[in-house]
Amino acid sequence: MRGQRLVTACVVLAAWPGLAWAAPQLTDTTSAIRVRVTAPAPVVVRLDADAVPQRVLQVSGLRQVASFAGLTPGAYRVVVELPGRPASSLEITVGPREHVTLHAAIGEGAGDESRLEVTDRARNGEGADLDARWLRDLPEGDQVWSLVETAVPFVITDRMDNGGTSTGRTPVMGSRGASWATTSVSFGGMRALEPNRVGLMPFAPDATAASAISVTSGLTPVEADTPGVIVALTPRRPGAGRHGSAQASLTAPRMVAVNPYLDAPAITRLSSFRDVGLQLSGPLTGRAGLLVSVVSTRAEYSERALPQLWNSEADSLFAHLVARPSESQQVRVIAAGQRVAAPFEERRQFVNRQVSEQGRFLQAHATWERVTAGGARASVSLGAQRGTFTPEFTSSDGGTVDRVTEGVVPRPVSSSVSSQWDARATFAPRVLTLGRTTHEWRAGVDLRRASGTMEVLALPDVAEQVGGYAARVWRPVGPVADSHRTVTHTSGYLANRMDLGANLTVDAGVRVDLADGSAAGAGTGISWRAVSPRLSFRWARGPIGLYGGAGLYSDPLALSLLSHGDPGEATADVHRWHDLDGDGRFDPGEQGVLVSRAGRGAAVASIDPDLRGPRTFERLVGLELRYRRLLTMRTSFIWRNQTSLIGSVNTGVPFSSYREVQIPDAGGDWDGPADDLLLTVYDRLPASFGKDAYLLTNPTDANAFYEGIEQTWEITTRRLLMVFGATAYRTGTWGGDPGFGPLENDQNVIGERWERPNAAPVLQGRGFFDRAYVGKWSGSYRAPGDITFGFTARYQDGQPFSRVVVAQGLSTGPEMVHAYWMGRTRFTYTLTLNTRIEKGFTIGGRRAAIRVDVFNATQHRNEVEEDVLTTPQFRRSSAVQPPLTVRVGF
């Protein structure tokens, strides 16, 4: 009933008093300027900027609105003209996703004073925005993912980059209780391919080609099709004149500190880094311009003080063509290609773990847009992408994986090819005024088809230990053919932004999503239908603003969900492993009885034909206090509930196929008896061995929640920019697998949670991205003498984990069991400070600069990982933050 009432209200508000179409607002960081005009006669409102052609709108009658949407963040000049009167003008700067409202009051008489002033500034959706100045002044401003990690207040990532150790790899990120699997990334409206099964995205964005980065994760309008983090990059536009720039930066081995702790090494340590880039921009004709950016990055680093040095690479070529066939039309074409190389994420399945992975990605996107003199906007976009990941290994001999310290046993190594094409059409008519209300309607249609192909390259036998004890050996069975999966997604939305008087704005809309996916040769596919209404409001009067809203979101249909029942997926026969010689390796003659069958292939898995897509219901309310543009304070309260989460249920071996067993648990106080107790674990009955059958379905208790309070302070002056964001929150969720990593403790991970009882926590707990208390502080100061100082400081509570007990004496071998509810305990908090100092000067009439970046400038060595096993070493630090690192750039 709650969703039905919200749908009805949004449909009525969006359709009143008529229907229309509009451009998406969350695929890039575009902004809008609205001018409310009070005048005795028709006036002309003109918008001027160096980067875009002049826009002119005529407004007639009393209390009309001139709306300029789809603007690139930057500086603009608004001019209001009434025949026979002096023109009124105002210079304003618009940030990413910002909607600026102005009031133009023109008096009745010729001698009456005219006024043009800013009355409100609002952001489209909840999140954080980094414009061109932030990208230039902050440390790591040329590295998209590390900047999101350290500067965006309400986003948590799984990597601590510290100067370039994440080169060539995308992080997994989450915010406000959303899974990393729902993250969306776009560049100029070109939406990147979805993350693969380990969270890597076939896209390596070039931050030097971006003029702004916007990260949104809440209160999004109907244009957004995901409840997850939305990272949108606005590409730099070619300028009116020829322009070029180049940059280079490096870190040498002696510019990195050494961690003095022998028993708790740095989780990563940079050895060397170099980055070079070149950007060229200028006109091709009187109505067309081109920007080209080339960047090449190399990094060498170690992990956990091991002698092996890893090499990561990232090369990018980006081109942006902007043409104006006429004053009312614009054509934008983006073409990009990247090549990356990094350590293979699932290399632990091999004896020789020196395995790298190559990635090659291509993107092309074209948009035609027309803006009429009356303010109506229409656009059509077409895009195509392709990405490949190819592991490179010299030996296919299987290794040994410890389930407690290294995570789940990886699936057999595969190469993958993913591709996507999309088409979008949007339209927004001119603003309509009815009495004292104005209406800006918008709607759009989006078609997207994604496909993925996987080829198994090797089938190594992998031995599994649990806390150092020999447990099982996984012997993969190859698929009958390569995997081919496709997903077709069709969506449409209808929305209406209404100014209900001078102070209240309401945005109401409804989107419809139709998603269908299948794997070649599979018995069952997935078909989802979702209606997602959104409603938001903002009341502003002087320096005070109240805002809030509610909405439903649906998870996008991922290609990875189609692995269940896919004939192209490998399976595995899991046997007991008896390590007779104690060498920690699986040798001939050590294989025991078959205990289970694993994998997602058609031989053991299938999809529930009634599978429903996960849904998120969000409510948000907030207060904003603003003093001009100098100081803005925002406080938000957010509630989210997720339902119909997806899990894999072992229908062939239900929980009734186990018997309860009590095992002793020494507790966290190993030497004292005060916390000793008996844990209930489950021993599988031998009669069920090998009868496993996995069904992808919606388990009855598959849900999650998020509750949070967020506070943001922003200071903006000519020389100083500063943003501080803090949040306190809690989540309740089920992890897909036992363990504390993002590929285990996340609600969208399809793991063992509902497949076997020993993997099921007693109660819901904290997910991987739950840090309870987080504060991030970023600032930039441009001092006289062309000197710039920038910094990013970050505090976040430790990563949640559960104490682990090894249950021995079970028929299937030793198993890892959580001793209490998931995420009850935390590692130590993380604290980092990164700084940048830049000095500019002139060489031959050109500006040049030398900069120095220092990462982890305070040399904090807080732990980022502990020993989670119940032994005398429980909670011993096993890894700490990366050490102080210096980078010099020109």
Side-chain angles (χ1 to χ4, degrees):
M1 292 299 294
R2 173 182 62 192
Q4 292 177 351
R5 288 194 296 267
L6 188 57
V7 169
T8 303
C10 290
V11 168
V12 171
L13 290 170
W16 176 66
L19 302 181
W21 312 82
Q25 316 233 340
L26 266 292
T27 54
D28 53 29
T29 56
T30 56
S31 305
I33 296 176
R34 296 180 177 86
V35 184
R36 292 194 181 104
V37 178
T38 303
V43 300
V44 172
V45 183
R46 190 172 72 246
L47 184 70
D48 296 331
D50 293 337
V52 297
Q54 183 183 88
R55 295 192 188 183
V56 180
L57 296 178
Q58 182 170 330
V59 179
S60 61
L62 201 64
R63 294 190 181 91
Q64 295 285 322
V65 173
S67 179
F68 302 93
L71 302 179
T72 301
Y76 293 88
R77 182 170 180 258
V78 179
V79 181
V80 179
E81 298 175 334
L82 177 66
R85 302 281 188 88
S88 299
S89 65
L90 184 65
E91 301 280 348
I92 62 172
T93 300
V94 182
R97 296 186 303 117
E98 191 170 35
H99 290 206
V100 181
T101 302
L102 289 76
H103 182 214
I106 301 178
E108 295 280 349
D112 293 343
E113 182 181 358
S114 298
R115 299 192 316 273
L116 181 59
E117 59 185 359
V118 175
T119 59
D120 191 32
R121 290 177 176 269
R123 294 292 171 86
N124 191 20
E126 288 287 286
D129 304 283
L130 305 169
D131 60 15
R133 178 173 170 181
W134 282 115
L135 298 183
R136 176 178 154 183
D137 292 355
L138 292 183
E140 300 182 320
D142 54 351
Q143 306 289 324
V144 173
W145 305 127
S146 56
L147 196 61
V148 171
E149 171 203 336
T150 57
V152 177
F154 311 123
V155 173
I156 302 297
T157 72
D158 71 323
R159 303 189 190 278
M160 192 172 293
D161 184 87
N162 208 68
T165 53
S166 292
T167 298
R169 296 179 292 180
T170 52
V172 300
M173 62 186 78
S175 178
R176 296 182 172 99
S179 167
W180 60 263
T182 59
T183 298
S184 173
V185 177
S186 67
F187 203 153
M190 175 185 64
R191 177 169 177 169
L193 292 161
E194 66 183 39
N196 64 11
R197 69 190 185 194
V198 294
L200 294 181
M201 191 167 288
F203 182 52
D206 174 8
T208 62
S211 63
I213 300 175
S214 177
V215 182
T216 312
S217 56
L219 202 62
T220 54
V222 295
E223 288 83 356
D225 65 348
T226 175
V229 178
I230 301 172
V231 181
L233 291 83
T234 297
R236 290 170 54 184
R237 299 171 63 95
R242 293 180 180 176
H243 175 77
S245 64
Q247 74 277 344
S249 60
L250 66 90
T251 295
R254 293 188 178 183
M255 298 164 68
V256 184
V258 176
N259 189 338
Y261 301 147
L262 297 179
D263 58 342
I267 193 164
T268 58
R269 179 184 180 275
L270 193 69
S271 176
S272 64
F273 176 89
R274 66 181 188 274
D275 177 83
V276 294
L278 175 67
Q279 293 81 40
L280 299 174
S281 171
L284 298 177
T285 66
R287 289 185 174 272
L290 177 66
L291 181 142
V292 177
S293 178
V294 182
V295 174
S296 179
T297 305
R298 300 290 184 272
E300 188 176 54
Y301 60 92
S302 61
E303 295 180 340
R304 302 175 186 271
L306 296 174
Q308 167 70 34
L309 285 179
W310 295 101
N311 294 291
S312 293
E313 305 173 359
D315 300 314
S316 173
L317 172 63
F318 175 85
H320 187 198
L321 172 68
V322 180
R324 299 193 302 272
S326 67
E327 289 302 322
S328 63
Q329 298 183 74
Q330 186 178 85
V331 176
R332 301 188 303 273
V333 179
I334 291 174
Q338 304 95 41
R339 186 194 70 84
V340 301
F344 180 45
E345 293 288 335
E346 297 181 298
R347 59 189 181 275
R348 60 189 182 277
Q349 65 186 283
F350 295 108
V351 169
N352 180 6
R353 298 191 177 186
Q354 297 181 23
V355 182
S356 62
E357 186 174 47
Q358 299 283 337
R360 289 177 172 80
F361 322 131
L362 296 172
Q363 303 95 25
H365 185 79
T367 300
W368 169 86
E369 183 180 41
R370 183 173 184 267
V371 181
T372 68
R377 299 174 63 234
S379 69
V380 175
S381 300
L382 297 173
Q385 298 178 69
R386 188 175 190 272
T388 65
F389 284 110
T390 306
E392 298 180 339
F393 53 93
T394 57
S395 172
S396 60
D397 293 341
T400 303
V401 173
D402 194 299
R403 179 65 186 84
V404 175
T405 58
E406 298 180 300
V408 298
V409 175
R411 300 185 197 179
V413 58
S414 303
S415 64
S416 64
V417 179
S418 56
S419 61
Q420 176 178 295
W421 66 261
D422 57 82
R424 184 187 328 130
T426 66
F427 177 74
R430 63 179 301 172
V431 178
L432 177 64
T433 301
L434 295 176
R436 298 180 60 86
T437 66
T438 62
H439 302 266
E440 297 180 56
W441 298 289
R442 59 191 194 272
V445 177
D446 194 353
L447 305 175
R448 184 168 67 246
R449 183 177 176 84
S451 62
T453 300
M454 287 197 310
E455 178 187 359
V456 175
L457 302 180
L459 298 168
D461 294 334
V462 182
E464 178 191 2
Q465 292 180 334
V466 179
Y469 297 98
R472 288 160 291 276
V473 58
W474 295 59
R475 311 206 69 172
V477 179
V480 297
D482 293 344
S483 170
H484 298 277
R485 304 170 192 167
T486 58
V487 168
T488 302
H489 183 210
T490 303
S491 63
Y493 61 86
L494 170 69
N496 184 8
R497 185 186 188 276
M498 296 160 285
D499 290 346
L500 305 178
N503 305 114
L504 179 62
T505 300
V506 175
D507 193 338
V510 177
R511 72 173 290 120
V512 177
D513 292 279
L514 312 175
D516 297 279
S518 62
T524 307
I526 298 176
S527 182
W528 289 348
R529 305 291 183 262
V531 178
S532 303
R534 315 274 170 81
L535 178 68
S536 63
F537 71 90
R538 178 178 175 83
W539 178 89
R541 186 179 182 88
I544 301 175
L546 297 174
Y547 58 91
L552 281 170
Y553 302 83
S554 59
D555 281 15
L557 175 55
L559 287 168
S560 59
L561 290 177
L562 300 170
S563 62
H564 268 66
D566 183 356
E569 273 280 328
T571 60
D573 293 334
V574 183
H575 296 259
R576 281 285 283 114
W577 172 35
H578 305 288
D579 189 12
L580 301 177
D581 55 8
D583 64 352
R585 294 187 57 181
F586 174 66
D587 298 313
E590 295 183 345
Q591 174 178 308
V593 63
L594 173 74
V595 295
S596 66
R597 302 184 69 195
R600 306 303 184 204
V604 296
S606 61
I607 297 175
D608 184 347
D610 297 322
L611 181 71
R612 303 183 305 278
R615 301 283 276 165
T616 300
F617 180 52
E618 176 188 62
R619 293 89 70 207
L620 184 148
V621 64
L623 170 67
E624 179 181 280
L625 300 176
R626 183 187 297 271
Y627 177 70
R628 298 179 181 175
R629 203 172 181 236
L630 173 65
L631 175 64
T632 303
M633 298 175 289
R634 290 169 61 89
T635 302
S636 301
F637 299 85
I638 304 102
W639 300 268
R640 281 187 164 196
N641 293 91
Q642 294 174 275
T643 57
S644 299
L645 294 175
I646 298 174
S648 178
V649 176
N650 194 341
T651 58
V653 186
F655 285 10
S656 59
S657 299
Y658 293 79
R659 65 184 182 92
E660 292 188 2
V661 177
Q662 302 287 324
I663 64 170
D665 174 18
D669 181 10
W670 180 267
D671 297 322
D675 60 347
D676 291 2
L677 50 81
L678 293 176
L679 282 181
T680 299
V681 298
Y682 299 88
D683 190 22
R684 184 165 168 172
L685 301 177
S688 68
F689 285 176
K691 295 182 179 180
D692 307 87
Y694 305 107
L695 179 69
L696 191 70
T697 187
N698 302 107
T700 55
D701 59 344
N703 52 62
F705 72 87
Y706 170 91
E707 299 171 345
I709 304 174
E710 300 174 355
Q711 176 75 49
T712 305
W713 294 61
E714 297 183 28
I715 298 176
T716 303
T717 69
R718 184 174 63 89
R719 293 191 180 277
L720 176 67
L721 292 179
M722 195 169 293
V723 173
F724 174 75
T727 183
Y729 62 97
R730 68 188 184 102
T731 61
T733 185
W734 302 109
D737 275 308
F740 55 79
L743 302 182
E744 299 164 312
N745 191 12
D746 184 274
Q747 67 267 30
N748 279 42
V749 169
I750 309 300
E752 298 179 329
R753 161 66 183 86
W754 284 279
E755 292 180 350
R756 58 184 186 87
N758 287 333
V762 177
L763 296 171
Q764 279 191 330
R766 308 290 185 111
F768 173 83
F769 298 106
D770 186 326
R771 295 298 191 271
Y773 301 100
V774 178
K776 296 185 183 181
W777 184 21
S778 302
S780 162
Y781 179 70
R782 293 187 172 179
D786 201 359
I787 298 175
T788 301
F789 172 73
F791 71 90
T792 58
R794 174 258 308 266
Y795 166 89
Q796 60 191 39
D797 259 9
Q799 177 182 329
F801 74 96
S802 298
R803 181 169 57 83
V804 169
V805 173
V806 177
Q808 300 188 58
L810 302 181
S811 62
T812 55
E815 292 195 24
M816 165 182 168
V817 180
H818 284 177
Y820 40 64
W821 52 271
M822 189 178 63
R824 173 183 165 186
T825 326
R826 294 184 180 275
F827 301 146
T828 301
Y829 67 88
T830 297
L831 182 65
T832 59
L833 172 65
N834 301 334
T835 63
R836 166 172 289 182
I837 297 178
E838 178 181 297
K839 168 58 181 170
F841 50 92
T842 302
I843 300 178
R846 307 292 184 184
R847 184 185 185 276
I850 293 178
R851 64 175 55 146
V852 177
D853 292 350
V854 181
F855 306 98
N856 192 12
T858 56
Q859 301 192 59
H860 267 76
R861 302 184 181 94
N862 287 10
E863 66 180 28
V864 295
E865 192 176 279
E866 296 178 2
D867 189 337
V868 302
L869 195 59
T870 304
T871 69
Q873 300 298 313
F874 175 61
R875 301 218 64 171
R876 176 188 61 86
S877 297
S878 55
V880 298
Q881 297 177 201
L884 181 146
T885 303
V886 178
R887 182 192 298 172
V888 176
F890 176 81

